[in-house]
């Protein structure tokens, strides 16, 4: 190397050193790494506001919205396209194509519709043979209908090219999606990293079928019989619990209770065996959807700090239901399905004793005819004191939530329950039995809580707290404080959505 070349090389090196030094002295530019959004797919048999028969739909609608609020997640939901989904929604659904779904020897058409709302993408799977019927459930071929739906979900993923990180299946109707993933689809490369989560909203309904139809109807090979077999039947909920990476239920207390035969409807050995992957996460409600300061169904709006409108709601409700207009008479309300586990036997046993005092009782709900008859008869025997409305009507339910003073939920078991949260938000103080989510959301007045509670499933314990609550009602200063506490309790998804996130992230580690 000549002297000049050596000199030039030296100079170049020196410049480079200076540049490097200057670079290190400067703030290192932040590395721009765009984390891909985590993909979550909810599989469920209903979702509010499109189609709702109970709390499940509300949870699907509001939890997906809460998760999608954060830009970290691409949240999608898939449900069947039922006939009962109203035209006002349908008209905006976009048909994106169709596929065929194999169920053993069957090969069924599956149309796919798409709709976006609150940052969530919804898919609706269409097949008129299965879903062009009134209502969602209760058909002799429900097993086949939801098998079609779940297998359709698996096909949907390929069709739209959306392979979620988390496939979150809810209740037995969606259990087969987890089963199909783990027995059939996970052998395909795109599906192999999908983690399955299963949530039990109510352990009472497990999806039980005869073992003979495992291959012929569900299209699952007998090789996998052990996964789904329980008590000599196919048990779809059991199958989903066995094959998901993680399962949860809708309150911490219920997560504990279902390990016990009293609550488990026979599934406690399976729950206990899989306990290591069980979590209990309390449901929330959508605080915008249930907001007494904006709810258009109310006679007058009000808020925790200005409750004047609540008195109007009470007066108008009494007027509408032909009850004497008495602002200082407490109204005890129930809005419930009329089924045994809602604790109606306790009510039957002592309601007439409670009615000896100055109070009014309003019941709204449908269900078993024996309870329907009982409450209709009670209303006939106590005119001006008891009103029973045997139907379900969302507008009326909001008028009752806002117009009543006390809300009774004496459930024998209650996975979570949303009504106690809605009532509290509307300033109607809850009286609950300490079970499942009722125990986790309502804390006793005596301990500075937001409602009234009793522990044992005993009618006289319930009567005792009803009377205690009515006593507090007549102490206006105490009552006002209690109503304020109830109305300002945080029932939003804020902390619970975070628990779901934690569960997902643990699985994706
Ligand atoms: C079921 C449960 C209810 C719960 C709801 C939503 O309907 O019975 O307690 O709140 O699901 O998870």
């Amino acid at each position: 190397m000549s002297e000049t070349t050596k000199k030039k090389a030296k100079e170049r090196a020196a410049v480079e050193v200076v540049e490097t030094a200057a670079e290190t002295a400067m703030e290192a530019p932040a590395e721009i790494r765009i984390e891909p959004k985590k993909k979550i797919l909810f599989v469920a048999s209903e979702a509010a506001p499109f189609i709702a028969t109970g709390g499940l739909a509300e949870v699907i609608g509001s939890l997906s919205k809460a998760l999608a609020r954060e830009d970290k997640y691409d949240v999608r939901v898939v449900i069947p396209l039922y006939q009962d989904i109203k035209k006002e929604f349908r008209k905006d659904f976009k048909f994106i194509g169709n596929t065929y779904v194999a169920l053993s020897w069957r090969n069924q058409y599956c149309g796919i519709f798409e709709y976006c709302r609150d940052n969530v993408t919804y898919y609706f799977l269409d097949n008129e043979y299965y879903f062009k019927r009134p209502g969602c459930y209760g058909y002799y071929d429900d097993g086949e209908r939801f098998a079609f739906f779940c297998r359709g979900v698996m096909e949907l993923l390929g069709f739209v090219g959306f392979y979620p990180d988390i496939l979150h299946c809810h209740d037995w109707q969606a259990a087969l999606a987890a089963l199909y993933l783990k027995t059939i689809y996970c052998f395909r490369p795109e599906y192999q990293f999908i983690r399955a989560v299963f949530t039990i909203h109510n352990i009472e309904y497990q999806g039980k079928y005869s073992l003979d139809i495992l291959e012929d109807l569900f299209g699952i090979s007998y090789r996998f019989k052990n996964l789904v077999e329980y008590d000599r039947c196919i048990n779809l909920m059991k199958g989903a619990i066995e094959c998901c990476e993680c399962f949860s239920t809708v309150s911490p207390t219920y997560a504990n209770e279902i390990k016990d035969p009293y609550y488990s409807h026979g599934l406690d050995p399976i729950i206990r065996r899989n306990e290591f992957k069980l979590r209990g996460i309390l449901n929330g409600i959508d605080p915008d959807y249930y907001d007494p300061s904006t709810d258009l169904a109310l006679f007058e709006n009000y808020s925790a700090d200005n409750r004047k409108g609540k008195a109007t709601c009470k007066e108008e409700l009494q007027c509408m239901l032909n009850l004497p207009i008495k602002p200082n008479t407490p109204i005890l309300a129930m809005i419930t399905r009329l089924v045994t586990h809602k604790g109606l036997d306790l009510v039957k046993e002592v309601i007439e004793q409670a009615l000896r005092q100055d109070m009014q009782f309003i019941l709204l709900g449908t269900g078993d005819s024996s309870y329907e008859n009982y409450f209709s008869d009670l209303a006939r025997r106590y005119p001006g004191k008891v009103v029973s409305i045997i139907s379900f009507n969302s507008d009326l339910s909001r008028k009752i939530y806002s117009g009543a003073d006390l809300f009774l939920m004496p459930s024998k078991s209650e996975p979570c329950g949303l009504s106690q949260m809605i009532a509290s938000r509307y300033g109607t103080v809850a009286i609950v039995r300490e079970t499942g989510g009722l125990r986790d959301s309502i804390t006793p007045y005596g301990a500075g809580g937001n409602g009234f509670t009793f522990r044992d499933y005993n009618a006289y314990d319930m009567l005792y707290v009803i009377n205690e609550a009515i006593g507090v009602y007549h102490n206006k200063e105490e009552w006002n404080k209690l109503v304020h506490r109830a109305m300002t309790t945080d029932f939003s998804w804020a902390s619970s959505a975070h628990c779901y996130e934690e569960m997902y992230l643990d699985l994706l580690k």
Side-chain angles (χ1 to χ4, degrees):
M1 206 189 278
S2 73
E3 272 311 306
T4 35
T5 340
K6 265 191 199 161
K7 205 174 148 208
K8 273 193 182 151
K10 248 186 173 172
E11 277 169 11
R12 228 180 9 248
V15 171
E16 270 170 21
V17 169
V18 171
E19 275 176 2
T20 328
E23 260 172 34
T24 11
M26 279 192 319
E27 182 87 346
E31 204 179 334
I32 303 177
R33 257 184 64 218
I34 300 179
E35 275 280 330
K37 286 187 179 185
K38 296 272 179 274
K39 292 178 270 184
I40 301 164
L41 179 68
F42 279 11
V43 185
S45 54
E46 43 183 287
F50 309 105
I51 183 95
T53 70
L56 168 68
E58 297 218 9
V59 170
I60 300 300
S62 57
L63 173 59
S64 59
K65 178 176 160 190
L67 287 167
R69 198 168 287 149
E70 309 224 7
D71 237 18
K72 290 180 279 180
Y73 302 103
D74 179 348
V75 186
R76 307 194 188 186
V77 176
V78 53
I79 64 169
L81 184 70
Y82 300 103
Q83 166 188 301
D84 287 359
I85 295 181
K86 293 212 174 76
K87 271 227 178 71
E88 62 180 276
F89 293 119
R90 268 173 192 262
K91 68 177 180 8
D92 297 323
F93 295 175
K94 187 170 144 221
F95 178 72
I96 57 170
N98 76 278
T99 178
Y100 282 85
V101 171
L103 278 183
S104 182
W105 50 268
R106 300 164 193 79
N107 197 27
Q108 304 283 34
Y109 168 91
C110 176
I112 303 169
F113 289 80
E114 189 188 72
Y115 180 70
C116 290
R117 186 188 161 100
D118 299 324
N119 233 0
V120 177
T121 304
Y122 284 86
Y123 297 108
F124 301 85
L125 301 191
D126 177 35
N127 176 299
E128 295 196 346
Y129 168 64
Y130 290 126
F131 299 119
K132 197 172 177 194
R133 315 175 184 188
C136 299
Y137 319 112
Y139 291 97
Y140 75 98
D141 58 348
D142 278 359
E144 181 176 338
R145 296 168 74 223
F146 290 103
F148 163 80
F149 169 63
C150 291
R151 192 78 194 244
V153 171
M154 290 293 110
E155 292 299 322
L156 166 79
L157 306 188
F159 185 88
V160 292
F162 178 78
Y163 299 99
D165 296 290
I166 301 286
L167 180 81
H168 191 157
C169 308
H170 296 262
D171 271 352
W172 78 263
Q173 295 89 345
L176 273 164
L179 276 156
Y180 287 141
L181 176 67
K182 299 298 174 179
T183 56
I184 302 172
Y185 286 80
C186 66
F187 303 108
R188 302 184 188 176
E190 305 89 340
Y191 292 75
Q192 64 180 325
F193 296 115
I194 303 177
R195 310 283 202 284
V197 172
F198 181 66
T199 294
I200 301 173
H201 291 260
N202 194 339
I203 206 166
E204 191 175 343
Y205 310 105
Q206 298 171 2
K208 293 184 191 172
Y209 294 93
S210 151
L211 266 178
D212 319 334
I213 59 172
L214 187 62
E215 274 188 344
D216 182 63
L217 195 125
F218 292 132
I220 293 180
S221 155
Y222 275 114
R223 279 190 293 138
F224 297 111
K225 184 167 137 250
N226 290 346
L227 266 183
V228 288
E229 181 179 2
Y230 191 58
D231 266 352
R232 295 182 303 278
C233 288
I234 293 174
N235 185 316
L236 298 177
M237 183 173 272
K238 184 254 183 186
I241 293 172
E242 297 285 11
C243 74
C244 64
E245 271 83 12
C246 201
F247 74 115
S248 71
T249 186
V250 289
S251 69
T253 297
Y254 194 62
N256 248 324
E257 287 173 343
I258 55 176
K259 294 177 212 159
D260 186 310
Y262 183 80
Y263 290 98
S264 74
H265 291 268
L267 224 49
D268 50 293
I270 305 300
I271 305 289
R272 286 196 301 271
R273 184 147 57 75
N274 288 281
E275 193 182 337
F276 67 96
K277 54 179 183 180
L278 168 64
R279 303 191 187 201
I281 305 176
L282 188 68
N283 284 336
I285 53 173
D286 180 344
D288 306 329
Y289 189 59
Y290 292 113
D291 183 352
S293 67
T294 54
D295 192 334
L296 295 174
L298 270 47
F299 290 112
E300 192 174 315
N301 292 115
Y302 57 92
S303 66
D305 295 321
N306 182 357
R307 293 205 303 276
K308 213 169 55 51
K310 188 163 169 67
T312 314
C313 289
K314 178 170 180 176
E315 186 182 325
E316 292 289 339
L317 180 69
Q318 287 173 323
C319 177
M320 186 174 113
L321 298 179
N322 283 326
L323 286 166
I325 296 173
K326 291 186 178 169
N328 292 319
T329 296
I331 301 182
L332 176 70
M334 291 186 82
I335 299 175
T336 180
R337 273 189 302 130
L338 300 177
V339 292
T340 305
H341 80 260
K342 295 292 180 184
L344 299 165
D345 293 328
L346 301 190
V347 181
K348 276 173 75 170
E349 203 168 324
V350 295
I351 191 69
E352 296 197 48
Q353 291 185 47
L355 286 167
R356 284 184 200 147
Q357 61 201 307
D358 182 31
M359 66 173 279
Q360 296 173 348
F361 176 66
I362 299 173
L363 175 127
L364 171 69
T366 57
D368 295 352
S369 54
S370 67
Y371 293 122
E372 292 186 351
N373 295 340
Y374 172 80
F375 285 107
S376 305
D377 179 61
L378 188 74
R380 265 192 298 277
R381 288 190 292 118
Y382 289 86
K385 265 198 124 156
V386 176
V387 174
S388 302
I389 306 135
I390 306 300
S391 78
F392 188 74
N393 176 328
S394 153
D395 183 78
L396 179 57
S397 74
R398 286 164 182 260
K399 291 188 164 66
I400 298 174
Y401 282 127
S402 58
D405 300 293
L406 290 161
F407 192 83
L408 180 61
M409 262 181 108
S411 307
K412 195 168 191 179
S413 70
E414 193 62 70
C416 178
L418 302 175
S419 306
Q420 79 280 13
M421 303 188 198
I422 303 168
S424 303
R425 186 146 166 76
Y426 284 68
T428 296
V429 176
I431 302 176
V432 304
R433 185 172 99 80
E434 292 171 21
T435 183
L438 297 177
R439 177 166 177 269
D440 296 332
S441 56
I442 302 299
T443 44
Y445 164 75
N450 57 3
F452 296 90
T453 72
F454 61 101
R455 206 190 64 185
D456 293 336
Y457 190 69
N458 177 306
Y460 286 88
D461 289 0
M462 180 184 81
L463 181 61
Y464 182 86
V465 285
I466 292 178
N467 290 338
E468 183 193 1
I470 292 177
V472 178
Y473 171 85
H474 289 297
N475 176 342
K476 284 300 159 209
E477 201 186 319
E478 274 300 295
W479 184 251
N480 283 335
K481 281 195 241 161
L482 173 58
V483 172
H484 194 269
R485 281 203 295 279
M487 289 187 79
T488 50
T489 306
D490 181 8
F491 293 116
S492 75
W493 275 104
S495 68
S496 299
H498 186 69
C499 298
Y500 278 104
E501 285 188 69
E502 249 175 39
M503 171 166 73
Y504 298 153
L505 295 179
D506 280 352
L507 290 183
L508 296 175
K509 263 179 200 158

